[in-house]
Amino acid sequence: MGGTMSLTKTLLIYTETALHAGTGSGLGAVDLPIQREVTTNYPMIQSGGIKGAIRSALRVQFAGAQDHPDINVVFGPEEIPDYAGAASFGDARILAFPVRSLRGVFAWVTSPAVLARFTRDVGTTFAQRPPIVPPEPPMDENQTTALVSSAGVVSDGDDVVLEEYLYRASGLQSVTDWANWLAENAIPASDEFAYYRQAMRERLVVLRDDDFRDFATYATQVITRIRLDRDTKTVVDGALFTQELLPPETLLYVPVVSNKPRATTDALDSAPSFSAGSTDSDVMNWLAGNLPGKIQIGADETVGYGFVTLRWGE
C-alpha cells in the first residue's frame, strides 16, 4: 500500500566484483575484516553504507550536485539537517552466498534460516510471493545432506563437494521452487545476466544453518595488500596488511521504506519532483526511477572493488 503512511520495497544487490564494507580494524587474523551480524556472524553491509552509496550514485545522476533539492527531500540535507529524509534503508542482508564446487565451478548456498528471514523481512513486497521454506537438511553419523535444486550440475552422483566438504545430494521440490523464484525475482533481469539466471536454477544448494554459517564465515576472499615506497619500490614498514572481501556473485537484499516527505515548505517548493501533496509512493517512484542499475558500494573503488548490480523487487 502507499499514499498515506509508508511504503516498503526490496532492493536486491548482486556483487559483480569483490566488495569490502569494512569495520575499520580487526582483532583476529585478518587486519581489515568485513562487517558481520553480531548474532549470526553472517556478512552484511550496514544501512549507513547503503544509504551513502546510493546518495553518492544519485549525485552523479544529477551532474554531481551535492545539494540537489530532490536528493535533499529523499535523503535529508547534509549541511543543515533541519528535517529527516523521506527514505529509510535497512542493512543489506545475505540471501545466497557463492561457494567453490567440485562440479559446476561454484554453487550458491543458503539455509532455511536465511530464507525464512528473507520471507519475514520482505516477502510481502513481491507480487509473486516466495515459496515455502525448505526444511533443514538431515544429518546422520556419517554424512550431512545438502538439498540441491538440480541433479547433476553441482552434484556428482549422490555427492556434492563444496570447498573440501563432502555432502550427500538430495533433491527437494521446495528447493527447486526457490531456485526458480530467485532466478526470476532476485537475479538482475537484464540480458547480460541470462547465464546467471539459468545458473541459479541449477546451482542452488540449501545447507544446514550451522554449515551455511561456517561457509559464510570462512569462505570469504582474503587478500594480502602492500604499499610501496615510491622511490625504492620496496614495501613500506608496517604497510603489509590482509583484507577480507565479500566474493563476486553474492546476493543480498535491502528493505527500503519511503514516507511522505518531511521537508520544510521552502525545501519542497524548490524541489522539481515533489510538493506539499507528495506521498510515500512519490518518494519510492523517484528512487526507483532515478537510481542507476549499477553502483559502487564500500571501500577501494579505485582498485575495482564494490561494483554491484541492483534490482528492485516487484
Side-chain angles (χ1 to χ4, degrees), residues 258 273-274 277-287:
S258 64
S273 302
F274 300 102
S278 294
T279 66
D280 52 3
S281 294
D282 296 324
V283 173
M284 189 65 77
N285 290 338
W286 184 92
L287 266 175

Side-chain angles (χ1 to χ4, degrees), residues 183-195:
E184 292 299 320
N185 295 277
I187 301 295
S190 52
D191 290 344
E192 63 264 31
F193 279 88
Y195 172 87

Side-chain angles (χ1 to χ4, degrees), residues 18-27 30-38 41-46 92 94 97 215-223 242-247 250 252 297-300 305:
L19 186 152
H20 179 77
T23 61
S25 62
L27 300 176
V30 178
D31 297 313
L32 298 177
I34 60 174
Q35 295 167 6
R36 292 183 177 275
E37 298 175 3
V38 66
N41 212 41
Y42 297 163
M44 50 92 77
I45 306 172
Q46 293 171 2
I94 196 78
F97 185 77
F215 279 115
T217 300
Y218 301 112
T220 53
Q221 185 174 341
V222 178
I223 63 170
T242 55
Q243 182 179 33
E244 185 179 21
L245 304 166
L246 201 60
T250 301
L252 307 104
I297 298 174
D300 298 315
Y305 294 159

Side-chain angles (χ1 to χ4, degrees), residues 297-309:
I297 298 174
D300 298 315
E301 176 181 3
T302 57
V303 291
Y305 294 159
F307 290 93
V308 305
T309 295

Side-chain angles (χ1 to χ4, degrees), residues 71-87:
I71 293 178
N72 285 343
V73 168
V74 175
F75 291 87
E78 286 189 323
E79 297 302 322
I80 308 174
D82 55 351
Y83 59 88

